[in-house]
Amino acid sequence: MIQLPDSFSYIRGRETLARAQVLKRTWPFVLDLCVAVMGLACFYGVVLIAKHWFGHAQPDIVISLSPRALPLYAFYSVVRIGLAYVLSLVFAVGYGYLAAYNKRLEALMIAGLDILQSIPVLSFLPGVMLAMVALFPTRQIGVELGAIVLIFTGQVWNMAFSFYSSIKSIPKELSEAASIYRFSRLQRLIQLELPYAAIGLVWNSMVSVAGGWFFLMACEMFVLGTRDFRLPGLGSYLQTAAGTGNYVAITWGLVTMVAIIVATDQLIWRPVIAWSDKFKFEQVESSARVQSPLLHLVQNSSALRALTRLTTAPLEERFYRRYADERKQRVAEAAATGSIESEGGERTRVAVIVVAAAVVGYAAFHALGLLRQVELAQFKEILKGAAATFMRVNVSLLLAAAWTIPAGVAIGFHPRLARIAQPLAQIAASVPATALFPVILLALIRMGGGLGIGSVALMMLGTQWYILFNVIAGAMAIPSDLREVATLFRFTTVQRWKTVILPGIFPFLITGLVTASGGAWNASIIAEYFRLKNQTLQTVGLGAQISAATDNGQFQILLLATMVMALMVVTINRLVWRPLYRLAGSRYKLEG
Amino acid sequence: MQMPIIRAERVEKYYAQPSENRIQVISPTDLSIVAGEIVALLGPSGSGKSTLLRMLTGLSAPSAGLVYWHEKPIATADVNVSIVFQSFALFPWLTVFENVEAPLKARGMDPAERRKRAMKILDTVGLDGFQSAYPKELSGGMRQRVGFARALVVEPEVLFMDEPFSALDVLTAENLRSELLELWQKKTIPTQAIFLVTHNIEEAVLLADRIIVLGRNPGHVRTDFKVGLQHPRDRKATAFTQLVDYIYKVLTQPDAQPPELPQTPTGKKVRDQRQMHYQMLPHARPGGIAGLLELVLDHNGKDDIYRLADDLAFEIDDLLPIVDAAQLLGFLTVTEGDAAITPTGAEYANSEILRQKELFRTAAVTNVLLLRQIVRAIEAKSDRTVAEEFFHDMLDEQFSEEETLRQLETAINWGRYAELFDFDASRRRFIQPQNVQNDAEPGVEIRE
């Protein structure tokens, strides 16, 4: 959920530096010990998870509200996020690689990426869950996998896109160097493509994992018809706590949430960002670098080094030798026959494509067949809901923009204010909105507000940060000489906003609004229909219809509503945001 | 006759267009590289020097024709070449040692052997003690040394270099050149031949045993001759400057046959293959043209182009477009490598800005077909605007996509300067220039 330009988010004070210096001088033995302890912890975690998963299915999980249960719940949630992330990373690299190098599939795959990125993932929740439960004999493992797959679908696309565009922008001479020196595909991947894409992947991973929390909170506990799916975790803890109105438990849950996010930032992202610094494709060394004591620890551990020397290094050698031998053989064969192409694979490929197309077509046809059951009245209802949600999304965007633009510009222009406001905003933004939904809804109902207004507030809760952080970055990017010109010529406030500030932040504002708009559509599914204290709150809207259809098991309505929503989001992206993006890229680009 | 290592037979490069037309980048060319020589490939930008180099290395396949490696088609041969790149093309995330080791790794060599070879070559190019540094910690010259080390570590039969010194400062470049020459002459490296692409004429004359000059539109060999000078070569020697002068003459007279060489040329002479509909607009800015004309005027209206370039400390690639543009507009005539200013040119150089624009306008409409067409098209339309796309499509028939865009950019630049038309960048349309005095909005005062 935090999308920060790297210029200001990770510049820390001198004491971090000092700490790094100290660690450099400690004996390697201590470092080894630390690594060993961490290794043991990981091992125990794996055992624990395995027991939970492969034991018999727990018939009905009761979420304990005791704070003592929290560490375990938090642990389960973190593991789910972690697994989904690893899955996403592998998939993103594979997808991006294939899209970049397969000329025939490229256009199709990129269009697919574009759409998948903008479809509200939460509407797939019921489908994915049911599929997984049906696929796996024990219900618990099905639900677990369902949650992981869902988080995966929420976080994979921007990573895939980042990897793809990195490969595409590799400087020509670097890739020519790799070809002329006969790099095998593996060596190319390890020494050229992955390093070149690393920085983009790291930043997108941060965004993705934050998004993952959003989905996890929503799908750890949900109801489908008469069936109640729940997983032990932080999300279900918070929902149960809000459902029973247990304020102590709510506080404990939120504190744990924030603690996890701060810990992830310190223990994972900072070391990773510091490490990825070496992949910066720049000619000169930059002065402001992120420091991480943990990274030092890992890099200076002689035990870890010995481990690579004994395991990955020989393996790598063997691979390289094999590829080199294969190449030699190929060249020898080619010299003998005079041709390097092989023609056998073509027919099988066509056959595979035909079969795949047939299967996909058949499935799609049957899905559309479901729509025949939709009655006209229901169809009208969906259209009405679509209009209502559309309004609500835009109102939430307007409201969010109304406070974040002035606030963001103020923060961006005043470094001192930024120093205070930045960390606060970061923490506020990093708490997944879905975790706060039940809590805030409880407060809203107490104050007498309905879900109609409440849902707008809930949408804003998740999406305003995108706008705020982008506006801050935009305001900081306005060159100071432009601002000085405005002062020099005594521009009025209106003139200043019209000629300097708004055009200056325009590209950033658009980026923020696009992300926020996508987030708001997604949030509508949770925000417009909520189950609290055994009663169901709902308002008119597309999101409510999707959720209600989920509850009642009306799959034809679910399908239609999801389609309408996806169509609307994609259309708005194409007709509104993309032209604005283009305008931002050409006319409002601040260069040099 | 020696067996060539690499031989190109009627290779050409073109890009097919949707219509019947195709854009010829390099016309059918024969070329061979034999053992024991340094070949320099010279030519103006856009003559396809780098494209030719990439075809000879097997990196890019020719559109027609074949390249042979020891008389076997290059696509199926076990080619052993290296390239030193202009941008160095080092992997910034690998240390100097890892960069140099990478090609050996790709060949499946043992770690111990790899280490020995890499350390030896680092020693040879003078990078002792830098093996664990990252490229970004090194100066440009040191980085290119890494580039050389990486290229030489595989002991290539032919070493290709794509403008290897042009990203370096003058002294560093000079130093590296002489070190390379020393390695080559003392046979410290087992390399059989060196193929150097450059746009620096002196560099070519300094290093090469054989010089090939390319012409453009489309790229073709204009002259190919052996350099008979003894090493070490003295830049001040008459034979040296004569040869440099000769190459300047060849380059500045794109349409003429190359004049007689002071030494004995042994090359083929190919004429321009196609008659162009549109002239190729040289990518020069009006300000640059004015500057050049003023300089020529200061030199009594006539000077050697080589000397002008020297005065300006310009590379040939930077100066030639400006000379071409001045020539196209009729401000300058070039004969035998000497540039002479015309009466209009002299008036242009001496005038103040508004008169300059007027002269430029007349010259542009008379001499440049594209600008003439744009002006006519605007006049013919009732709304006085024409889409850029219209001209884009016409130019597209003749130029590559990239060149079309550059042609349009130059045309817009010239047209705006001459106030022939204005260009609305957001709608991508040519529009009639606004008359400032009449159309000025109230509140926007142009003059006091």
Side-chain angles (χ1 to χ4, degrees):
Chain A
M1 197 141 299
I2 322 165
Q3 198 170 24
L4 294 174
D6 51 353
S7 54
F8 63 86
S9 61
Y10 277 93
I11 300 165
R12 298 288 155 107
R14 212 174 287 152
E15 68 275 10
T16 345
L17 257 165
R19 235 187 316 156
Q21 300 269 313
V22 170
L23 273 171
K24 207 186 277 177
R25 295 199 179 90
T26 345
W27 319 313
F29 176 69
V30 180
L31 306 184
D32 294 344
L33 209 66
C34 293
V35 174
V37 169
M38 280 190 263
L40 278 176
C42 287
F43 182 68
Y44 180 63
V46 170
V47 169
L48 209 63
I49 281 286
K51 224 163 77 185
H52 165 66
W53 269 8
F54 299 108
H56 55 90
Q58 279 141 297
D60 224 3
I61 289 168
V62 181
I63 304 294
S64 157
L65 287 181
S66 150
R68 235 172 289 155
L70 260 176
L72 192 64
Y73 286 164
F75 175 71
Y76 285 144
S77 293
V78 168
V79 170
R80 272 174 214 128
I81 293 266
L83 283 178
Y85 171 72
V86 170
L87 198 63
S88 304
L89 186 66
V90 172
F91 183 87
V93 168
Y95 193 97
Y97 192 88
L98 198 63
Y101 285 116
N102 193 326
K103 287 224 166 56
R104 276 180 230 181
L105 288 181
E106 183 176 358
L108 183 73
M109 289 179 84
I110 292 313
L113 213 54
D114 188 38
I115 290 172
L116 286 168
Q117 227 175 337
S118 45
I119 282 181
V121 181
L122 282 180
S123 59
F124 294 119
L125 182 96
V128 169
M129 284 296 183
L130 283 184
M132 286 296 168
V133 172
L135 266 179
F136 290 89
T138 56
R139 184 167 122 180
Q140 206 55 35
I141 203 167
V143 180
E144 283 287 1
L145 286 178
I148 287 170
V149 166
L150 213 75
I151 301 168
F152 162 81
T153 49
Q155 59 186 193
V156 71
W157 312 116
N158 60 327
M159 287 164 67
F161 198 76
S162 156
F163 188 67
Y164 163 81
S165 55
S166 291
I167 291 189
K168 278 292 181 183
S169 63
I170 287 176
K172 193 166 147 254
E173 294 204 330
L174 273 190
S175 108
E176 282 176 347
S179 314
I180 205 83
Y181 295 119
R182 305 177 187 169
F183 281 21
S184 58
R185 279 192 180 186
L186 178 75
Q187 193 176 7
R188 226 183 139 89
L189 187 71
I190 292 177
Q191 293 198 323
L192 176 61
E193 284 145 357
L194 279 178
Y196 191 78
I199 292 191
L201 272 183
V202 167
W203 285 104
N204 275 289
S205 298
M206 291 177 67
V207 174
S208 281
V209 169
W213 279 108
F214 182 92
F215 294 120
L216 183 66
M217 293 295 112
C219 64
E220 272 183 349
M221 183 172 164
F222 83 108
V223 178
L224 186 58
T226 52
R227 282 167 291 186
D228 183 0
F229 295 90
R230 53 178 87 174
L231 294 167
L234 206 50
S236 48
Y237 180 90
L238 274 170
Q239 280 194 35
T240 315
T244 52
N246 185 340
Y247 292 99
V248 181
I250 289 175
T251 318
W252 275 112
L254 287 181
V255 167
T256 314
M257 182 83 244
V258 171
I260 289 175
I261 283 157
V262 171
T264 324
D265 181 64
Q266 287 294 317
L267 298 179
I268 297 176
W269 297 129
R270 278 173 60 76
V272 167
I273 288 171
W275 167 77
S276 73
D277 196 63
K278 77 169 182 175
F279 300 120
K280 264 195 192 140
F281 195 73
E282 59 183 12
Q283 297 306 317
V284 283
E285 204 151 6
S286 61
S287 49
R289 291 185 55 185
V290 180
Q291 299 285 335
S292 164
L294 193 71
L295 181 68
H296 258 288
L297 200 150
V298 172
Q299 281 178 333
N300 292 321
S301 145
S302 57
L304 263 188
R305 224 174 297 154
L307 197 68
T308 32
R309 202 173 53 235
L310 290 175
T311 56
T312 56
L315 196 71
E316 203 188 48
E317 288 305 329
R318 203 174 322 147
F319 269 116
Y320 281 143
R321 199 154 322 134
R322 220 181 72 199
Y323 280 123
D325 289 346
E326 271 173 20
R327 188 184 175 280
K328 254 177 236 156
Q329 210 173 344
R330 238 187 1 253
V331 168
E333 269 169 33
T337 59
S339 150
I340 207 152
E341 306 287 323
S342 69
E343 286 156 24
E346 190 63 23
R347 206 167 294 164
T348 19
R349 198 181 308 159
V350 172
V352 167
I353 290 173
V354 167
V355 170
V359 170
V360 170
Y362 181 78
F365 180 76
H366 273 259
L368 283 178
L370 266 180
L371 290 184
R372 257 179 293 164
Q373 302 166 19
V374 180
E375 288 154 26
L376 193 66
Q378 287 170 322
F379 188 69
K380 275 185 191 155
E381 199 62 28
I382 283 178
L383 285 186
K384 208 171 97 191
T389 303
F390 179 73
M391 286 290 294
R392 219 167 274 137
V393 165
N394 287 325
V395 167
S396 81
L397 279 188
L398 271 179
L399 286 177
W403 85 263
T404 52
I405 292 176
V409 169
I411 294 174
F413 277 2
H414 299 99
R416 203 181 300 166
L417 185 60
R419 226 169 300 141
I420 306 164
Q422 196 77 46
L424 288 181
Q426 247 171 288
I427 291 178
S430 58
V431 176
T434 34
L436 291 178
F437 273 11
V439 184
I440 290 201
L441 208 56
L442 211 61
L444 269 174
I445 291 166
R446 182 150 301 189
M447 286 190 303
L451 200 59
I453 304 164
S455 61
V456 173
L458 293 177
M459 282 180 192
M460 261 179 78
L461 190 70
T463 57
Q464 57 196 350
W465 307 109
Y466 294 117
I467 312 178
L468 180 68
F469 287 123
N470 275 294
V471 169
I472 294 176
M476 288 174 103
I478 294 178
S480 58
D481 42 5
L482 282 187
R483 282 161 58 196
E484 279 159 14
V485 166
T487 318
L488 196 66
F489 293 128
R490 297 203 189 92
F491 279 14
T492 59
T493 313
V494 175
Q495 212 178 356
R496 193 185 292 254
W497 276 91
K498 257 175 69 180
T499 51
V500 180
I501 299 174
L502 285 181
I505 62 170
F506 187 76
F508 296 86
L509 185 62
I510 293 298
T511 312
L513 283 173
V514 171
T515 328
S517 150
W521 278 103
N522 224 333
S524 72
I525 294 165
I526 307 179
E528 291 175 348
Y529 186 91
F530 213 89
R531 212 171 254 270
L532 201 67
K533 285 186 184 168
N534 296 324
Q535 54 174 336
T536 305
L537 304 168
Q538 70 170 320
T539 175
V540 181
L542 200 54
Q545 267 150 352
I546 289 178
S547 297
T550 303
D551 264 7
N552 308 328
Q554 293 170 299
F555 287 101
Q556 69 278 19
I557 295 189
L558 179 65
L559 179 68
L560 184 65
T562 306
M563 274 169 58
V564 169
M565 186 179 276
L567 219 72
M568 281 178 77
V569 173
V570 172
T571 314
I572 293 169
N573 274 352
R574 295 277 151 86
L575 293 186
V576 180
W577 298 120
R578 202 176 279 181
L580 282 176
Y581 248 132
R582 214 167 288 146
L583 191 65
S586 56
R587 198 162 145 200
Y588 293 109
K589 197 171 164 196
L590 281 169
E591 274 158 325
Chain B
M1 183 75 191
Q2 217 177 337
M3 258 264 277
I5 303 173
I6 296 179
R7 184 167 64 83
E9 200 178 84
R10 310 283 301 158
V11 291
E12 54 183 314
K13 193 87 179 175
Y14 52 78
Y15 299 107
Q17 288 296 102
S19 61
E20 290 295 291
N21 279 1
R22 65 185 193 195
I23 288 159
Q24 192 84 22
V25 181
I26 294 178
S27 51
T29 301
D30 293 323
L31 201 129
S32 52
I33 300 172
V34 296
E37 62 177 13
I38 301 183
V39 186
L41 186 67
L42 273 168
S45 59
S47 58
K49 294 181 298 242
S50 293
T51 314
L52 193 56
L53 177 139
R54 276 155 182 76
M55 291 198 292
L56 289 175
T57 56
L59 265 183
S60 109
S63 309
L66 267 178
V67 179
Y68 295 94
W69 171 262
H70 289 292
E71 298 306 317
K72 276 188 208 152
I74 201 158
T76 61
D78 193 13
V79 185
N80 187 14
V81 298
S82 287
I83 302 181
V84 175
F85 294 93
Q86 179 180 11
S87 64
F88 320 135
L90 302 174
F91 301 107
W93 37 83
L94 300 183
T95 62
V96 167
F97 178 79
E98 287 165 339
N99 262 294
V100 175
E101 188 197 29
L104 300 178
K105 231 179 184 177
R107 288 167 196 231
M109 198 179 274
D110 281 333
E113 175 71 14
R114 255 173 13 214
R115 182 156 193 90
K116 212 179 85 198
R117 291 253 291 234
M119 291 312 277
K120 189 169 155 247
I121 203 75
L122 284 174
D123 188 34
T124 310
V125 301
L127 279 170
D128 265 350
F130 283 96
Q131 57 269 21
S132 53
Y134 284 96
K136 64 179 127 191
E137 299 170 54
L138 305 179
S139 67
M142 293 303 254
R143 268 182 238 168
Q144 193 56 302
R145 279 172 199 267
V146 182
F148 273 109
R150 184 178 64 178
L152 293 172
V153 78
V154 296
E155 306 193 331
E157 263 189 80
V158 184
L159 174 65
F160 284 88
M161 299 195 280
D162 189 5
E163 309 203 2
F165 308 112
S166 63
L168 306 175
D169 66 84
V170 182
L171 287 176
T172 311
E174 191 62 34
N175 190 12
L176 265 182
R177 269 195 287 267
S178 59
E179 280 183 41
L180 173 73
L181 206 57
E182 201 181 311
L183 289 181
W184 164 254
Q185 282 171 335
K186 289 189 176 158
K187 304 265 177 241
T188 321
I189 46 175
T191 299
Q192 298 287 306
I194 294 180
F195 188 90
L196 167 77
V197 164
T198 178
H199 60 242
N200 183 323
I201 297 174
E202 280 194 38
E203 180 175 298
V205 178
L206 205 59
L207 294 176
D209 301 308
R210 185 177 142 209
I211 294 178
I212 303 169
V213 181
L214 290 189
R216 62 179 169 203
N217 298 334
H220 59 277
V221 175
R222 299 200 50 222
T223 170
D224 177 345
F225 58 88
K226 289 232 183 317
V227 178
L229 305 175
Q230 286 300 310
H231 282 291
R233 292 174 185 168
D234 176 11
R235 284 168 191 269
K236 297 272 162 27
T238 329
F240 190 98
T241 52
Q242 268 179 349
L243 198 57
V244 171
D245 229 19
Y246 162 74
I247 297 170
Y248 259 101
K249 274 178 200 158
V250 176
L251 282 170
T252 48
Q253 293 169 325
D255 298 323
Q257 289 284 322
E260 276 308 299
L261 188 71
Q263 268 90 23
T264 44
T266 52
K268 318 159 179 67
K269 286 148 193 170
V270 185
R271 291 255 299 164
D272 281 333
Q273 305 256 320
R274 289 143 36 89
Q275 205 56 47
M276 299 284 237
H277 182 213
Y278 287 102
Q279 313 98 315
M280 171 114 147
L281 289 186
H283 305 292
R285 293 186 170 273
I289 301 172
L292 175 73
L293 291 175
E294 277 167 36
L295 187 72
V296 177
L297 206 61
D298 278 352
H299 291 214
N300 301 320
K302 191 174 167 151
D303 206 347
D304 192 67
I305 292 180
Y306 173 34
R307 278 252 297 283
L308 284 173
D310 211 35
D311 263 19
L312 293 164
F314 267 22
E315 294 274 11
I316 188 76
D317 263 20
D318 302 326
L319 186 65
L320 270 188
I322 306 176
V323 174
D324 284 354
Q327 221 180 337
L328 176 67
L329 292 166
F331 292 157
L332 206 63
T333 54
V334 179
T335 39
E336 299 278 299
D338 281 340
I341 201 161
T342 62
T344 351
E347 195 191 344
Y348 180 75
N350 279 327
S351 304
E352 45 82 47
I353 178 80
L354 288 180
R355 175 72 186 140
Q356 270 190 345
K357 287 195 170 200
E358 214 170 284
L359 286 167
F360 195 95
R361 183 153 58 227
T362 321
V365 174
T366 330
N367 296 308
V368 183
L369 176 63
L370 178 59
L371 292 176
R372 197 160 58 230
Q373 283 183 342
I374 296 174
V375 171
R376 292 228 178 109
I378 293 174
E379 279 167 4
K381 290 276 293 279
S382 56
D383 62 348
R384 297 280 185 267
T385 73
V386 189
E388 181 194 29
E389 222 181 339
F390 179 68
F391 295 100
H392 183 284
D393 290 350
M394 297 215 292
L395 288 167
D396 219 15
E397 298 286 297
Q398 193 176 319
F399 300 106
S400 66
E401 176 60 25
E402 200 184 332
E403 188 54 48
T404 298
L405 293 178
R406 279 171 52 185
Q407 288 291 316
L408 280 168
E409 195 187 322
T410 306
I412 290 167
N413 197 349
W414 288 16
R416 276 176 165 168
Y417 170 80
E419 293 172 24
L420 284 167
F421 50 78
D422 202 352
F423 184 71
D424 182 345
S426 56
R427 291 188 300 147
R428 308 302 300 175
R429 288 181 87 85
F430 294 101
I431 52 179
Q432 205 170 38
Q434 301 222 329
N435 198 331
V436 177
Q437 276 85 351
N438 298 341
D439 290 357
E441 284 174 44
V444 185
E445 282 288 312
I446 300 300
R447 283 179 212 150
E448 289 290 85

